[in-house]
């Protein structure tokens, strides 16, 4: 279930970017991706991964970008998410 949710999430994010940053598709993709991540590694591990002290900057940018996309500013939200994603996984 988790791999399917992550796959559909990435598909919707990619499809939303191909359709000139459609905010509904991007928001749906973000929600599916995050819920799939919780299904794959569990709620506790997901929470501890995102909220470690050295990763708080990346987490705040990533979730801030998700929130901005949900508020229908998709280009700015995706830029913030991308910066947060790079900061989280470097």
């Amino acid at each position: 279930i988790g791999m399917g949710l992550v796959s559909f999430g990435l598909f919707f994010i990619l499809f939303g970017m191909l359709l000139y940053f459609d905010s509904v598709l991007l928001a749906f993709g973000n929600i599916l991706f995050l819920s799939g991540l919780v299904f794959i590694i569990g709620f506790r591990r997901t929470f501890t991964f995102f909220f470690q002290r050295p990763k708080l900057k990346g987490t705040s940018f990533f979730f801030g970008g998700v929130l901005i996309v949900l508020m229908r500013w998709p280009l700015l939200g995706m830029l913030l998410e991308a910066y947060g994603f790079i900061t989280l996984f470097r």
Side-chain angles (χ1 to χ4, degrees), residues 23-64:
S23 61
V24 174
L25 288 174
L26 291 173
F28 193 60
N30 284 331
I31 292 169
L32 285 175
F33 178 76
L34 290 175
S35 63
L37 191 64
V38 169
F39 269 97
I40 290 173
I41 63 174
F43 183 75
R44 182 170 301 211
R45 285 187 183 172
T46 305
F47 186 81
T48 56
F49 172 76
F50 279 111
F51 294 105
Q52 293 174 2
R53 175 73 102 195
K55 295 183 179 185
L56 281 178
K57 179 181 174 184
T59 300
S60 61
F61 273 101
F62 183 76
F63 285 120

Side-chain angles (χ1 to χ4, degrees), residues 7-22 25-26 29 78:
S7 299
F8 277 120
L10 291 175
F11 171 75
F12 279 114
I13 289 172
L14 179 66
F15 197 58
M17 284 194 285
L18 288 174
L19 291 176
Y20 300 113
F21 292 96
D22 183 32
L25 288 174
L26 291 173
M78 288 306 291

